[in-house]
Amino acid sequence: MRGRCALAVLLSVAGAAAAADVAPALRTQALTRGDVDALLVLSDQSVPTLAPLAPSADYRVRRRVLVDALRGRSDAAQRALRTWLDARGIAHRDFWIANVIQARVPAALLDELAARPEIARLAPNPAIANALPPVEAPAPRVQQQATTSIGWGVSKIHAPDVWALGFTGQGAVIGGEDTGYQWDHPALKPQYRGWNGATADHNHNWHDAIHDATGTLVCANDSPAPCDDDSHGTHTAGTFAGDDHAGTEPGVAPGARWIGCRNMDRGTGTPARYIECMQWMLAPTDLAGNNANPDLAPDVISNSWSCPEAAPPTGEGCTPADVLETAVANLVAGGILYVAAAQNSGPNCATIFDPPAIYPEAFVIGATDASDALANFSSRGPVGSSGPIRPDVSAPGTGIVSSVPTNSYATMSGTSMATPHVAGVAALLLSAHPKLKGRPHALEAILRASATHAVTDPALQACGGTAITDWPNNMVGYGRVDALAACREIIFMDGFDG
């Protein structure tokens, strides 16, 4: 009997040692709430190998194989856990782009759930507000100024010179993840992929990842049509593809098509909302969340948001950072250029510290002004002690005029405004060289190699040991993007023949 008791104790200790790590924030919430909003992070967060396919295989085939592998992996790994959750009436949302489940877990079942062998850890899913740039100028006044001119940033990066060559972004699709979009804004409606000139079809062209917002809502939860409850998203979309075809051209790639996903409720996002939009971008679904089709994924995604890892008041914000990193890595593995804002925490060095800009697979954008000077607010590198140079490149980001609800125009400043400039340049490159589709790293190489070194730094910093005379550097990266130079750039890449 004594031996059996000893064995029972050993088994209990072993079971406790194998239990999933539970974030302290969830423990704290469980003391005062009946349930907690948790991310059930499974152990396998790898990017599936596509070794059976040659690197030169059609990118759409590679993306289909990737999506099938991700879905198959998560279905197998999550099957028993989903059954356990369903049996207890626990609401959950399952993801495959990263192997994770969001669930409303009763506080009393937290430890029982943590003991399940397939779970690596339980992380919080907090709502974290982004410090979005404010509107700087009254819309009516700016609208009048905008109706007869192209935005200074669009001209600065020589986008009109590329249009003159016949490349306006046609054939390329830009995806936006933001506060939503006024899809029928005069500058956005003609380019929206869900508009055929007569009727709108939002299936596979729009997704709303906001399901549980409260208070007075501008946009309904699960909005069946694109909606913007802030203006930030509509502004960014105008910069990457805006053109009302009546004289107002705020966009870099007015011939591109665009699709969108709302990942913030009035500027507030959660890790699950960000993951959901990234998953939808890799394989857009219809409005019911069915019929996922990776062939309808965008070529480039513009991301002007962040998910702070250190959030108030507990200090546990975007803690499943590796899960978000897995999602970004899988998007890039699927042949999509992932453009991300460096954020607005400058002028100090080492101020790029939030996802997704900290991830190696993200293409990170700083901001410059009309005189090609580094914007004071633009976040600088380095990222960590041994990370790559960040930002990758910079783009116009101060005093940018673009579309805002309702049917108006306004000025904003931030790396949020610089990022869609670069997404638009990528679309122009895809028009000029369609064989670049599905090759995000080749696009990145061209954008870096063609960036201008005309940028100045009024602060004369040397972040991470790199001065403004060093190229690349941790203030503006490889330089300010130049669309015409990028289209003319000749880079010898394996298998690329223009």
Side-chain angles (χ1 to χ4, degrees), residues 182-200 241-245 257-258:
Q182 187 205 336
W183 76 271
D184 59 353
H185 189 291
L188 299 184
K189 186 175 182 178
Q191 290 74 247
Y192 176 51
R193 196 174 67 182
W195 176 250
N196 65 8
T199 59
D243 184 358
D244 71 353
H245 300 277
R257 303 291 263 174
W258 69 271

PDB file of all heavy atoms in Angstrom, residues 182-200 241-245 257-258:
ATOM      1  N   GLN A 182     -14.431  52.398 -45.523  1.00  0.00           N
ATOM      2  CA  GLN A 182     -15.636  52.846 -46.206  1.00  0.00           C
ATOM      3  C   GLN A 182     -15.460  52.432 -47.666  1.00  0.00           C
ATOM      4  O   GLN A 182     -14.921  53.184 -48.485  1.00  0.00           O
ATOM      5  CB  GLN A 182     -15.842  54.358 -46.095  1.00  0.00           C
ATOM      6  CG  GLN A 182     -17.194  54.781 -46.679  1.00  0.00           C
ATOM      7  CD  GLN A 182     -17.253  56.216 -47.160  1.00  0.00           C
ATOM      8  OE1 GLN A 182     -16.491  57.067 -46.708  1.00  0.00           O
ATOM      9  NE2 GLN A 182     -18.158  56.485 -48.104  1.00  0.00           N
ATOM     10  N   TRP A 183     -15.932  51.269 -47.990  1.00  0.00           N
ATOM     11  CA  TRP A 183     -15.646  50.684 -49.296  1.00  0.00           C
ATOM     12  C   TRP A 183     -16.218  51.504 -50.451  1.00  0.00           C
ATOM     13  O   TRP A 183     -15.639  51.535 -51.546  1.00  0.00           O
ATOM     14  CB  TRP A 183     -16.197  49.254 -49.374  1.00  0.00           C
ATOM     15  CG  TRP A 183     -17.681  49.163 -49.554  1.00  0.00           C
ATOM     16  CD1 TRP A 183     -18.638  49.131 -48.586  1.00  0.00           C
ATOM     17  CD2 TRP A 183     -18.386  49.119 -50.803  1.00  0.00           C
ATOM     18  NE1 TRP A 183     -19.891  49.058 -49.130  1.00  0.00           N
ATOM     19  CE2 TRP A 183     -19.771  49.048 -50.497  1.00  0.00           C
ATOM     20  CE3 TRP A 183     -18.000  49.127 -52.145  1.00  0.00           C
ATOM     21  CZ2 TRP A 183     -20.762  48.984 -51.479  1.00  0.00           C
ATOM     22  CZ3 TRP A 183     -18.995  49.060 -53.130  1.00  0.00           C
ATOM     23  CH2 TRP A 183     -20.345  48.977 -52.800  1.00  0.00           C
ATOM     24  N   ASP A 184     -17.346  52.200 -50.177  1.00  0.00           N
ATOM     25  CA  ASP A 184     -17.969  52.951 -51.261  1.00  0.00           C
ATOM     26  C   ASP A 184     -17.547  54.419 -51.287  1.00  0.00           C
ATOM     27  O   ASP A 184     -18.201  55.248 -51.937  1.00  0.00           O
ATOM     28  CB  ASP A 184     -19.493  52.840 -51.193  1.00  0.00           C
ATOM     29  CG  ASP A 184     -20.077  53.353 -49.877  1.00  0.00           C
ATOM     30  OD1 ASP A 184     -19.291  53.685 -48.957  1.00  0.00           O
ATOM     31  OD2 ASP A 184     -21.323  53.416 -49.759  1.00  0.00           O
ATOM     32  N   HIS A 185     -16.463  54.752 -50.594  1.00  0.00           N
ATOM     33  CA  HIS A 185     -15.881  56.086 -50.732  1.00  0.00           C
ATOM     34  C   HIS A 185     -15.537  56.288 -52.207  1.00  0.00           C
ATOM     35  O   HIS A 185     -15.048  55.371 -52.878  1.00  0.00           O
ATOM     36  CB  HIS A 185     -14.625  56.188 -49.872  1.00  0.00           C
ATOM     37  CG  HIS A 185     -14.066  57.574 -49.757  1.00  0.00           C
ATOM     38  ND1 HIS A 185     -13.470  58.228 -50.822  1.00  0.00           N
ATOM     39  CD2 HIS A 185     -13.989  58.426 -48.702  1.00  0.00           C
ATOM     40  CE1 HIS A 185     -13.076  59.422 -50.432  1.00  0.00           C
ATOM     41  NE2 HIS A 185     -13.379  59.568 -49.141  1.00  0.00           N
ATOM     42  N   PRO A 186     -15.775  57.477 -52.770  1.00  0.00           N
ATOM     43  CA  PRO A 186     -15.503  57.684 -54.200  1.00  0.00           C
ATOM     44  C   PRO A 186     -14.083  57.310 -54.617  1.00  0.00           C
ATOM     45  O   PRO A 186     -13.869  56.886 -55.765  1.00  0.00           O
ATOM     46  CB  PRO A 186     -15.753  59.186 -54.385  1.00  0.00           C
ATOM     47  CG  PRO A 186     -16.734  59.537 -53.320  1.00  0.00           C
ATOM     48  CD  PRO A 186     -16.386  58.672 -52.145  1.00  0.00           C
ATOM     49  N   ALA A 187     -13.109  57.457 -53.698  1.00  0.00           N
ATOM     50  CA  ALA A 187     -11.730  57.133 -54.054  1.00  0.00           C
ATOM     51  C   ALA A 187     -11.427  55.646 -53.935  1.00  0.00           C
ATOM     52  O   ALA A 187     -10.404  55.175 -54.449  1.00  0.00           O
ATOM     53  CB  ALA A 187     -10.757  57.926 -53.169  1.00  0.00           C
ATOM     54  N   LEU A 188     -12.299  54.881 -53.276  1.00  0.00           N
ATOM     55  CA  LEU A 188     -12.025  53.464 -53.030  1.00  0.00           C
ATOM     56  C   LEU A 188     -12.944  52.520 -53.803  1.00  0.00           C
ATOM     57  O   LEU A 188     -12.529  51.409 -54.165  1.00  0.00           O
ATOM     58  CB  LEU A 188     -12.147  53.158 -51.536  1.00  0.00           C
ATOM     59  CG  LEU A 188     -11.199  53.891 -50.589  1.00  0.00           C
ATOM     60  CD1 LEU A 188     -11.401  53.400 -49.163  1.00  0.00           C
ATOM     61  CD2 LEU A 188      -9.748  53.714 -51.021  1.00  0.00           C
ATOM     62  N   LYS A 189     -14.171  52.931 -54.028  1.00  0.00           N
ATOM     63  CA  LYS A 189     -15.151  52.039 -54.642  1.00  0.00           C
ATOM     64  C   LYS A 189     -14.710  51.480 -55.997  1.00  0.00           C
ATOM     65  O   LYS A 189     -14.851  50.269 -56.241  1.00  0.00           O
ATOM     66  CB  LYS A 189     -16.486  52.777 -54.774  1.00  0.00           C
ATOM     67  CG  LYS A 189     -17.632  51.916 -55.278  1.00  0.00           C
ATOM     68  CD  LYS A 189     -18.935  52.712 -55.267  1.00  0.00           C
ATOM     69  CE  LYS A 189     -20.117  51.882 -55.712  1.00  0.00           C
ATOM     70  NZ  LYS A 189     -21.384  52.678 -55.646  1.00  0.00           N
ATOM     71  N   PRO A 190     -14.148  52.293 -56.898  1.00  0.00           N
ATOM     72  CA  PRO A 190     -13.789  51.733 -58.206  1.00  0.00           C
ATOM     73  C   PRO A 190     -12.730  50.633 -58.124  1.00  0.00           C
ATOM     74  O   PRO A 190     -12.679  49.763 -59.002  1.00  0.00           O
ATOM     75  CB  PRO A 190     -13.255  52.953 -58.975  1.00  0.00           C
ATOM     76  CG  PRO A 190     -13.861  54.133 -58.296  1.00  0.00           C
ATOM     77  CD  PRO A 190     -13.916  53.757 -56.845  1.00  0.00           C
ATOM     78  N   GLN A 191     -11.894  50.669 -57.090  1.00  0.00           N
ATOM     79  CA  GLN A 191     -10.801  49.697 -56.979  1.00  0.00           C
ATOM     80  C   GLN A 191     -11.138  48.512 -56.077  1.00  0.00           C
ATOM     81  O   GLN A 191     -10.369  47.554 -55.995  1.00  0.00           O
ATOM     82  CB  GLN A 191      -9.523  50.377 -56.455  1.00  0.00           C
ATOM     83  CG  GLN A 191      -8.872  51.334 -57.449  1.00  0.00           C
ATOM     84  CD  GLN A 191      -9.642  52.626 -57.591  1.00  0.00           C
ATOM     85  OE1 GLN A 191     -10.203  52.910 -58.639  1.00  0.00           O
ATOM     86  NE2 GLN A 191      -9.683  53.429 -56.529  1.00  0.00           N
ATOM     87  N   TYR A 192     -12.244  48.569 -55.365  1.00  0.00           N
ATOM     88  CA  TYR A 192     -12.631  47.483 -54.457  1.00  0.00           C
ATOM     89  C   TYR A 192     -12.938  46.224 -55.271  1.00  0.00           C
ATOM     90  O   TYR A 192     -13.707  46.268 -56.230  1.00  0.00           O
ATOM     91  CB  TYR A 192     -13.847  47.916 -53.640  1.00  0.00           C
ATOM     92  CG  TYR A 192     -14.421  46.859 -52.733  1.00  0.00           C
ATOM     93  CD1 TYR A 192     -13.622  46.152 -51.837  1.00  0.00           C
ATOM     94  CD2 TYR A 192     -15.788  46.572 -52.763  1.00  0.00           C
ATOM     95  CE1 TYR A 192     -14.167  45.185 -51.001  1.00  0.00           C
ATOM     96  CE2 TYR A 192     -16.345  45.622 -51.922  1.00  0.00           C
ATOM     97  CZ  TYR A 192     -15.530  44.925 -51.042  1.00  0.00           C
ATOM     98  OH  TYR A 192     -16.074  43.970 -50.214  1.00  0.00           O
ATOM     99  N   ARG A 193     -12.321  45.114 -54.891  1.00  0.00           N
ATOM    100  CA  ARG A 193     -12.501  43.888 -55.671  1.00  0.00           C
ATOM    101  C   ARG A 193     -13.934  43.375 -55.617  1.00  0.00           C
ATOM    102  O   ARG A 193     -14.375  42.621 -56.508  1.00  0.00           O
ATOM    103  CB  ARG A 193     -11.530  42.793 -55.190  1.00  0.00           C
ATOM    104  CG  ARG A 193     -11.398  41.648 -56.188  1.00  0.00           C
ATOM    105  CD  ARG A 193     -10.340  40.647 -55.773  1.00  0.00           C
ATOM    106  NE  ARG A 193     -10.709  39.911 -54.559  1.00  0.00           N
ATOM    107  CZ  ARG A 193      -9.932  39.004 -53.959  1.00  0.00           C
ATOM    108  NH1 ARG A 193      -8.727  38.746 -54.452  1.00  0.00           N
ATOM    109  NH2 ARG A 193     -10.317  38.383 -52.868  1.00  0.00           N
ATOM    110  N   GLY A 194     -14.670  43.772 -54.599  1.00  0.00           N
ATOM    111  CA  GLY A 194     -16.056  43.336 -54.477  1.00  0.00           C
ATOM    112  C   GLY A 194     -17.039  44.159 -55.300  1.00  0.00           C
ATOM    113  O   GLY A 194     -18.245  43.926 -55.218  1.00  0.00           O
ATOM    114  N   TRP A 195     -16.547  45.116 -56.083  1.00  0.00           N
ATOM    115  CA  TRP A 195     -17.412  45.965 -56.908  1.00  0.00           C
ATOM    116  C   TRP A 195     -17.113  45.720 -58.379  1.00  0.00           C
ATOM    117  O   TRP A 195     -15.968  45.837 -58.816  1.00  0.00           O
ATOM    118  CB  TRP A 195     -17.172  47.439 -56.570  1.00  0.00           C
ATOM    119  CG  TRP A 195     -17.917  48.422 -57.410  1.00  0.00           C
ATOM    120  CD1 TRP A 195     -17.383  49.266 -58.341  1.00  0.00           C
ATOM    121  CD2 TRP A 195     -19.320  48.674 -57.408  1.00  0.00           C
ATOM    122  NE1 TRP A 195     -18.371  50.034 -58.906  1.00  0.00           N
ATOM    123  CE2 TRP A 195     -19.579  49.689 -58.356  1.00  0.00           C
ATOM    124  CE3 TRP A 195     -20.396  48.143 -56.687  1.00  0.00           C
ATOM    125  CZ2 TRP A 195     -20.853  50.178 -58.603  1.00  0.00           C
ATOM    126  CZ3 TRP A 195     -21.674  48.626 -56.937  1.00  0.00           C
ATOM    127  CH2 TRP A 195     -21.898  49.625 -57.869  1.00  0.00           C
ATOM    128  N   ASN A 196     -18.118  45.358 -59.122  1.00  0.00           N
ATOM    129  CA  ASN A 196     -17.904  45.067 -60.543  1.00  0.00           C
ATOM    130  C   ASN A 196     -18.366  46.195 -61.452  1.00  0.00           C
ATOM    131  O   ASN A 196     -18.450  46.024 -62.674  1.00  0.00           O
ATOM    132  CB  ASN A 196     -18.613  43.761 -60.929  1.00  0.00           C
ATOM    133  CG  ASN A 196     -20.134  43.842 -60.820  1.00  0.00           C
ATOM    134  OD1 ASN A 196     -20.702  44.913 -60.599  1.00  0.00           O
ATOM    135  ND2 ASN A 196     -20.796  42.701 -60.971  1.00  0.00           N
ATOM    136  N   GLY A 197     -18.674  47.345 -60.858  1.00  0.00           N
ATOM    137  CA  GLY A 197     -19.148  48.481 -61.639  1.00  0.00           C
ATOM    138  C   GLY A 197     -20.640  48.650 -61.592  1.00  0.00           C
ATOM    139  O   GLY A 197     -21.161  49.705 -61.967  1.00  0.00           O
ATOM    140  N   ALA A 198     -21.347  47.591 -61.114  1.00  0.00           N
ATOM    141  CA  ALA A 198     -22.805  47.666 -61.037  1.00  0.00           C
ATOM    142  C   ALA A 198     -23.341  47.152 -59.706  1.00  0.00           C
ATOM    143  O   ALA A 198     -24.285  47.715 -59.147  1.00  0.00           O
ATOM    144  CB  ALA A 198     -23.433  46.877 -62.183  1.00  0.00           C
ATOM    145  N   THR A 199     -22.744  46.089 -59.204  1.00  0.00           N
ATOM    146  CA  THR A 199     -23.204  45.487 -57.947  1.00  0.00           C
ATOM    147  C   THR A 199     -22.004  45.154 -57.063  1.00  0.00           C
ATOM    148  O   THR A 199     -20.867  45.032 -57.540  1.00  0.00           O
ATOM    149  CB  THR A 199     -24.009  44.198 -58.200  1.00  0.00           C
ATOM    150  OG1 THR A 199     -23.179  43.260 -58.906  1.00  0.00           O
ATOM    151  CG2 THR A 199     -25.264  44.485 -59.003  1.00  0.00           C
ATOM    152  N   ALA A 200     -22.290  44.998 -55.771  1.00  0.00           N
ATOM    153  CA  ALA A 200     -21.252  44.671 -54.799  1.00  0.00           C
ATOM    154  C   ALA A 200     -21.412  43.235 -54.321  1.00  0.00           C
ATOM    155  O   ALA A 200     -22.529  42.759 -54.094  1.00  0.00           O
ATOM    156  CB  ALA A 200     -21.311  45.624 -53.606  1.00  0.00           C
ATOM    157  N   ALA A 241      -4.338  52.662 -52.884  1.00  0.00           N
ATOM    158  CA  ALA A 241      -5.046  52.399 -54.142  1.00  0.00           C
ATOM    159  C   ALA A 241      -6.118  53.421 -54.477  1.00  0.00           C
ATOM    160  O   ALA A 241      -6.945  53.170 -55.353  1.00  0.00           O
ATOM    161  CB  ALA A 241      -5.676  51.008 -54.104  1.00  0.00           C
ATOM    162  N   GLY A 242      -6.129  54.583 -53.838  1.00  0.00           N
ATOM    163  CA  GLY A 242      -7.220  55.520 -54.028  1.00  0.00           C
ATOM    164  C   GLY A 242      -7.214  56.255 -55.365  1.00  0.00           C
ATOM    165  O   GLY A 242      -6.175  56.723 -55.824  1.00  0.00           O
ATOM    166  N   ASP A 243      -8.395  56.368 -55.971  1.00  0.00           N
ATOM    167  CA  ASP A 243      -8.573  57.141 -57.209  1.00  0.00           C
ATOM    168  C   ASP A 243     -10.068  57.218 -57.486  1.00  0.00           C
ATOM    169  O   ASP A 243     -10.712  56.187 -57.719  1.00  0.00           O
ATOM    170  CB  ASP A 243      -7.860  56.457 -58.376  1.00  0.00           C
ATOM    171  CG  ASP A 243      -7.930  57.270 -59.668  1.00  0.00           C
ATOM    172  OD1 ASP A 243      -8.561  58.345 -59.670  1.00  0.00           O
ATOM    173  OD2 ASP A 243      -7.349  56.821 -60.678  1.00  0.00           O
ATOM    174  N   ASP A 244     -10.630  58.437 -57.458  1.00  0.00           N
ATOM    175  CA  ASP A 244     -12.066  58.551 -57.728  1.00  0.00           C
ATOM    176  C   ASP A 244     -12.372  58.708 -59.214  1.00  0.00           C
ATOM    177  O   ASP A 244     -13.525  58.855 -59.612  1.00  0.00           O
ATOM    178  CB  ASP A 244     -12.675  59.704 -56.922  1.00  0.00           C
ATOM    179  CG  ASP A 244     -12.252  61.077 -57.425  1.00  0.00           C
ATOM    180  OD1 ASP A 244     -11.380  61.155 -58.331  1.00  0.00           O
ATOM    181  OD2 ASP A 244     -12.787  62.072 -56.908  1.00  0.00           O
ATOM    182  N   HIS A 245     -11.304  58.705 -60.045  1.00  0.00           N
ATOM    183  CA  HIS A 245     -11.455  58.829 -61.497  1.00  0.00           C
ATOM    184  C   HIS A 245     -12.145  60.139 -61.885  1.00  0.00           C
ATOM    185  O   HIS A 245     -12.783  60.230 -62.934  1.00  0.00           O
ATOM    186  CB  HIS A 245     -12.198  57.628 -62.077  1.00  0.00           C
ATOM    187  CG  HIS A 245     -11.507  56.324 -61.821  1.00  0.00           C
ATOM    188  ND1 HIS A 245     -10.483  55.849 -62.602  1.00  0.00           N
ATOM    189  CD2 HIS A 245     -11.660  55.420 -60.814  1.00  0.00           C
ATOM    190  CE1 HIS A 245     -10.047  54.694 -62.105  1.00  0.00           C
ATOM    191  NE2 HIS A 245     -10.740  54.430 -61.020  1.00  0.00           N
ATOM    192  N   ARG A 257      -6.463  46.383 -57.284  1.00  0.00           N
ATOM    193  CA  ARG A 257      -7.697  46.060 -56.571  1.00  0.00           C
ATOM    194  C   ARG A 257      -7.343  45.903 -55.091  1.00  0.00           C
ATOM    195  O   ARG A 257      -6.201  45.586 -54.743  1.00  0.00           O
ATOM    196  CB  ARG A 257      -8.316  44.781 -57.098  1.00  0.00           C
ATOM    197  CG  ARG A 257      -8.604  44.802 -58.585  1.00  0.00           C
ATOM    198  CD  ARG A 257      -9.724  45.747 -58.951  1.00  0.00           C
ATOM    199  NE  ARG A 257     -11.003  45.059 -59.087  1.00  0.00           N
ATOM    200  CZ  ARG A 257     -12.171  45.673 -59.283  1.00  0.00           C
ATOM    201  NH1 ARG A 257     -12.216  46.991 -59.342  1.00  0.00           N
ATOM    202  NH2 ARG A 257     -13.278  44.988 -59.402  1.00  0.00           N
ATOM    203  N   TRP A 258      -8.332  46.096 -54.226  1.00  0.00           N
ATOM    204  CA  TRP A 258      -8.064  45.951 -52.798  1.00  0.00           C
ATOM    205  C   TRP A 258      -9.169  45.157 -52.118  1.00  0.00           C
ATOM    206  O   TRP A 258     -10.319  45.127 -52.582  1.00  0.00           O
ATOM    207  CB  TRP A 258      -7.892  47.318 -52.120  1.00  0.00           C
ATOM    208  CG  TRP A 258      -9.151  48.155 -52.034  1.00  0.00           C
ATOM    209  CD1 TRP A 258      -9.606  49.041 -52.964  1.00  0.00           C
ATOM    210  CD2 TRP A 258     -10.117  48.145 -50.974  1.00  0.00           C
ATOM    211  NE1 TRP A 258     -10.789  49.601 -52.549  1.00  0.00           N
ATOM    212  CE2 TRP A 258     -11.129  49.081 -51.323  1.00  0.00           C
ATOM    213  CE3 TRP A 258     -10.222  47.467 -49.766  1.00  0.00           C
ATOM    214  CZ2 TRP A 258     -12.245  49.327 -50.505  1.00  0.00           C
ATOM    215  CZ3 TRP A 258     -11.322  47.708 -48.948  1.00  0.00           C
ATOM    216  CH2 TRP A 258     -12.313  48.623 -49.310  1.00  0.00           C
TER     217      TRP A 258
END
